[in-house]
Amino acid sequence: MRIDIITVEPDLLRSPFENSMMKRAIEKNIAEVHLHNLREYGFGNYRQIDDYQFGGGAGMVLMIEPIAKCIEKLQSERDYDEIIYMTPDAKTLNQTTANTLSLKENIIILTGHYKGVDQRVRDKFITKEISIGDYVLTGGELAAAVLCDAVIRLIPGVLGDETSALTDSFQDNLLSPPVYTRPSEYDGMKVPEVLLSGNFPKIEEWRSEQAYERTKEIRPDLLDE
Ligand code: ADE
């Protein structure tokens, strides 16, 4: 999978791809991530990329021309399956969306800043808009990193243990059950007996029950879906 990220803060985005799972995925050539500094497509000596909004109001808006130039250059080099805009005014990212995106070959992610992008960018280029939650970040960079992490870890071969992504919370619309490791007793707190029993059907049954109970308590909305 190739991901091209268009951003005004490329430095903010480097570290997530230089560490941990995403670094490994890139090293194994399973994922390719390219950062594009929008400013390089800006106007004039100052490389202008934003301007005041028509109709007045606080906050600058990213202009269409620099973004169009960058997207059209990328599109002249290959076909893209999705051009995604990270924005708080969109549907919230969930595991289903991450699963779907993990099957794509080439995607562009556009990150907003300031008051966002000129609406015509969204109308002309964007095929999918994603929010990572009902709160506003300073820019879409961290949101893009979250999206990439959620997607890349699902590509076969990225995680050492293939089953570990499949048993994540949300893969079956349930939260994960509790997990324990050594010691089997700490300060009087004992690991549930069943986990030490070696009876794997019973352990699976216990985990399913726990996942259901946790979901019912913390995220009952997931059970309605
Ligand atoms: N940009 C700013 N806030 C955001 C959010 N919550 N999700 C995605 N992109 C954003």
Side-chain angles (χ1 to χ4, degrees):
M1 167 183 263
R2 176 183 169 119
I3 303 176
D4 289 275
I5 305 180
I6 304 173
T7 167
V8 294
E9 298 283 1
D11 290 343
L12 186 56
L13 257 177
R14 276 188 229 290
S15 156
F17 300 105
E18 291 171 356
N19 292 282
S20 187
M21 174 278 298
M22 291 203 276
K23 177 186 178 189
R24 282 203 308 277
I26 291 165
E27 282 174 352
K28 287 189 193 168
N29 291 322
I30 295 172
E32 239 182 88
V33 178
H34 300 267
L35 303 179
H36 304 276
N37 188 345
L38 186 61
R39 208 159 275 287
E40 289 172 13
Y41 299 84
F43 288 110
N45 289 344
Y46 293 106
R47 298 263 162 230
Q48 187 185 356
I49 51 172
D50 57 355
D51 212 334
Y52 296 101
Q53 46 179 318
F54 283 127
M60 305 294 273
V61 175
L62 291 173
M63 293 186 291
I64 187 166
E65 287 104 323
I67 296 171
K69 244 194 275 177
C70 184
I71 291 178
E72 283 166 356
K73 176 173 175 280
L74 291 169
Q75 282 177 322
S76 72
E77 291 161 2
R78 69 195 62 75
D79 289 333
Y80 284 91
D81 303 301
E82 296 280 5
I83 304 182
I84 299 167
Y85 175 48
M86 303 309 299
T87 175
D89 52 356
K91 285 219 173 101
T92 315
L93 176 63
N94 61 21
Q95 197 62 40
T96 307
T97 304
N99 288 342
T100 307
L101 290 175
S102 74
L103 302 173
K104 307 288 182 193
E105 228 166 275
N106 299 316
I107 62 177
I108 293 175
I109 302 176
L110 172 65
T111 64
H113 241 259
Y114 320 113
K115 268 284 168 217
V117 299
D118 188 302
Q119 178 60 36
R120 290 166 291 183
V121 172
R122 299 167 78 159
D123 297 341
K124 184 170 164 68
F125 294 108
I126 301 301
T127 60
K128 198 175 198 57
E129 302 190 331
I130 297 177
S131 164
I132 62 158
D134 293 340
Y135 42 81
V136 178
L137 303 167
T138 310
E141 284 74 18
L142 298 178
V146 167
L147 175 64
C148 288
D149 187 301
V151 168
I152 290 174
R153 64 195 300 284
L154 296 173
I155 305 173
V158 171
L159 296 184
D161 178 356
E162 279 295 329
T163 59
S164 68
L166 296 175
T167 56
D168 283 342
S169 279
F170 302 115
Q171 281 297 5
D172 45 11
N173 253 6
L174 293 175
L175 302 186
S176 286
V179 292
Y180 297 87
T181 184
R182 289 189 294 175
S184 58
E185 184 172 343
Y186 173 75
D187 205 15
M189 302 164 81
K190 288 187 178 159
V191 171
E193 203 65 50
V194 61
L195 296 179
L196 309 174
S197 69
N199 182 338
F200 293 104
K202 266 247 159 308
I203 290 172
E204 270 317 297
E205 191 185 327
W206 180 86
R207 286 183 171 150
S208 299
E209 280 166 17
Q210 291 289 318
Y212 179 78
E213 289 305 320
R214 246 191 192 183
T215 310
K216 198 165 83 175
E217 187 187 330
I218 302 169
R219 291 290 307 277
D221 54 301
L222 291 175
L223 298 175
D224 301 334
E225 282 176 19

